Amino acid sequence: PGGSANLVRKRPLQEFAFGAQASAGSWDYYRAVADLSTPFDSQGKVRGRFIAAYEDRGSFVDRVNSTRPTLYGIVEADLTPHTTLAAGVAYQRARTTPAFGLPAYADGSLLDVRRGTNLSAAWNQIEEDTTEIFADLEHRLAGGGVVKASVFHRDTDTPTRLTTWPNRAVN
């Protein structure tokens, strides 16, 4: 088996647009997103897009939850009719109380416990702050090709990583 993922950043639109959405789901899942795209000049040659999202997620597993506020901003400018420069930043702050599964018996059989059982320590906690800075310069060729130069930097800070998990077969 194999696969690939093509991650494409959201780009600014040449006209004003605003969208907001909220969702809720099973096991205390809540998410809200606000997305604003706006031109900075009358021709739409310089434009920006700003996104704010917040996710609060529970789990069917005891004591497992996470919160993830995210901010994203990009400014894009048409330097010529065929050349575009874009630069932006994304920030996410993740706070998670994880569980890493249940141990099994030495013969591979599973424990007879309810599905939400969590044997990890109650003090399990992971904090992670990620900041990404990026810039792209793209030139569209007359024959349909594209020349693109990109720079990208990601800084991840993990001030707290307190975790335990079962790592042996059940005796």
Side-chain angles (χ1 to χ4, degrees), residues 10-19 35-50 74 76 78:
K10 291 191 173 195
R11 307 302 289 240
L13 305 173
Q14 291 188 325
E15 60 279 338
F16 177 84
F18 177 77
D35 184 347
L36 170 70
S37 184
T38 186
F40 295 137
D41 65 351
S42 60
Q43 296 87 22
K45 291 183 178 186
V46 180
R47 52 209 169 268
R49 189 163 188 174
F50 308 97
I74 183 172
E76 194 172 74
D78 296 328

Side-chain angles (χ1 to χ4, degrees), residues 62 64 96 110-111 144 147:
D62 297 340
V64 171
T96 305
L110 301 177
L111 297 176
V147 177

Side-chain angles (χ1 to χ4, degrees), residues 23-145:
S23 54
S26 302
W27 302 299
D28 296 324
Y29 171 79
Y30 304 98
R31 180 174 169 84
V33 179
D35 184 347
L36 170 70
S37 184
T38 186
F40 295 137
D41 65 351
S42 60
Q43 296 87 22
K45 291 183 178 186
V46 180
R47 52 209 169 268
R49 189 163 188 174
F50 308 97
I51 300 170
Y54 184 82
E55 180 180 284
D56 188 345
R57 175 178 290 227
S59 174
F60 67 89
V61 178
D62 297 340
R63 300 185 320 272
V64 171
N65 60 64
S66 69
T67 59
R68 294 180 193 277
T70 303
L71 297 171
Y72 171 82
I74 183 172
V75 174
E76 194 172 74
D78 296 328
L79 303 179
T80 72
H82 301 287
T83 306
T84 303
L85 176 65
V89 62
Y91 171 78
Q92 183 175 76
R93 179 181 183 154
R95 300 297 182 256
T96 305
T97 303
F100 298 104
L102 296 170
Y105 290 102
D107 67 2
S109 61
L110 301 177
L111 297 176
D112 184 20
V113 295
R114 62 182 189 73
R115 186 172 77 135
T117 300
N118 179 355
L119 298 181
S120 297
W123 46 261
N124 270 10
Q125 182 180 9
I126 298 174
E127 297 179 357
E128 187 172 88
D129 298 323
T130 303
T131 303
E132 298 176 350
I133 300 169
F134 57 89
D136 300 325
L137 180 64
E138 181 178 287
H139 181 76
R140 293 165 297 286
L141 302 172

